[in-house]
Amino acid sequence: MFTKTLTKKVLRSPLVDLLTGPHGVDRYTELVDPTWTTDARAKVVDVRRTTPRSVTLFLAPNTAVTGYRAGQHLNLTVEIDGRRHTRCYSPASAEGSSLIELTIGRHDGGLVSSHLYRHARPGMVVGLSAPAGDFVLPDRRPRRILLVSGGSGITPVMSMVRTLLAEHFDGEIVFVHYARTPLEACYRTELTGMPIRVLHGYTRSPGGELTGRFGADHLRSAMADPDVVYVCGPPALVEAVREHCPNVLSESFVPTRFVVPDGASGGRITFRDSGINTEDDGRPLLDQAEGAGLNPTSGCRMGICHTCTRRKHRGAVRNVTTGAISTADEEDVQICVSVPVGDVEIAL
């Protein structure tokens, strides 16, 4: 620990910065090892493809990567064809693990997920952000916990159950996971061997303990009176759990389909840097920028990863996730979840 702390101080010292200018010390240390940098990065040390639609990466982070709480997410940045792309993922590993485990579902048309499924290999280096999110276990653990996940939404709740078991949690845990088929059920073998009750539901195949989609009968089969329910998955699953359960904490990494409200358009959008003006059609600024032929950097498209943040020079926007309207000039906004309210001028 002392050696790592001393190394950090030396690398960040003004003398080292002067000697390595104008490029900085990172330009030289990363020639020896790409993870020897003050930027948060990690090296892929193992890759597993255990289902036809997912890939699991085991990452060894450098010292710039901070710890995370079970259930939180972080941004992963990977270079594809000379361009950096960022996406938001939740670790499946327990809190305090030396390796960060990411299981990434391969989505049809998904640039980053498809690239990693096909090309991820040991030795690859990726960028990481600080962890974020409040979809986490409380410090005082509830006694009866119901965990519900769908598809690749299993990762944050997998981190929770691994953390609880590592702590020798003596309360009751029930884990309900939905997948299309048994072959696509991530962590199926590991879950079967855990000392907790696990129920699988398959939406396109028989063979699970649950049939169909989440409802009152599935809740009765799992845990009739949980103290708290954690659910992560597609919006339809999250909504169904919220309809039937009290005390629900939820997370979803699937963007909901945005429907343009009647009468929402009418102003004009000026993309100042590109010299493009277009009539507002009511969609988020990211969608309209792409419709105008621009290609702004973006990640989750849900307002989680902040990759798409741009400077709004003037005008008002409404956040589609919170409903809040922002009118200040010269402020940064997330264009994936911001729709214009009247005329808007944006740095793009």
Side-chain angles (χ1 to χ4, degrees), residues 151-224:
S152 58
I154 193 173
T155 52
V157 290
M158 195 69 187
S159 178
M160 290 179 180
V161 74
R162 284 171 164 173
T163 298
L164 290 168
L165 293 178
E167 295 172 354
H168 304 290
F169 176 73
D170 60 357
E172 185 178 357
I173 305 171
V174 177
F175 199 130
V176 176
H177 180 62
Y178 295 90
R180 300 198 298 187
T181 67
L183 286 176
E184 296 183 19
C186 299
Y187 298 107
R188 184 168 176 240
T189 301
E190 181 180 348
L191 286 169
T192 300
M194 285 184 174
I196 62 173
R197 189 156 174 257
V198 178
L199 302 174
H200 280 94
Y202 304 120
T203 58
R204 299 187 185 180
S205 171
E209 293 82 6
L210 301 173
T211 302
R213 301 180 185 275
F214 187 91
D217 54 338
H218 287 199
L219 177 60
R220 285 191 296 269
S221 297
M223 182 182 282

Side-chain angles (χ1 to χ4, degrees), residues 215-239:
D217 54 338
H218 287 199
L219 177 60
R220 285 191 296 269
S221 297
M223 182 182 282
D225 189 25
D227 293 331
V228 64
V229 181
Y230 290 90
V231 55
C232 183
L237 174 61
V238 172
E239 291 169 9

Side-chain angles (χ1 to χ4, degrees), residues 249-321:
L249 294 174
S250 65
E251 190 88 281
S252 179
F253 296 115
V254 180
T256 55
R257 181 174 175 270
F258 181 77
V259 178
V260 178
D262 293 337
S265 56
R268 292 196 65 80
I269 304 172
T270 300
F271 299 108
R272 179 190 284 188
D273 298 347
S274 308
I276 296 175
N277 290 273
T278 184
E279 185 175 345
D280 172 31
D281 63 16
R283 294 180 298 157
L285 284 163
L286 173 58
D287 296 328
Q288 297 199 61
E290 291 173 340
L294 302 177
N295 189 28
T297 301
S298 64
C300 65
R301 306 183 80 97
M302 298 180 64
I304 294 176
C305 71
H306 296 270
T307 305
C308 68
T309 300
R310 294 293 183 275
R311 174 55 57 100
K312 174 172 66 69
H313 295 300
R314 65 180 183 85
V317 294
R318 178 173 61 84
N319 187 303
V320 299
T321 60

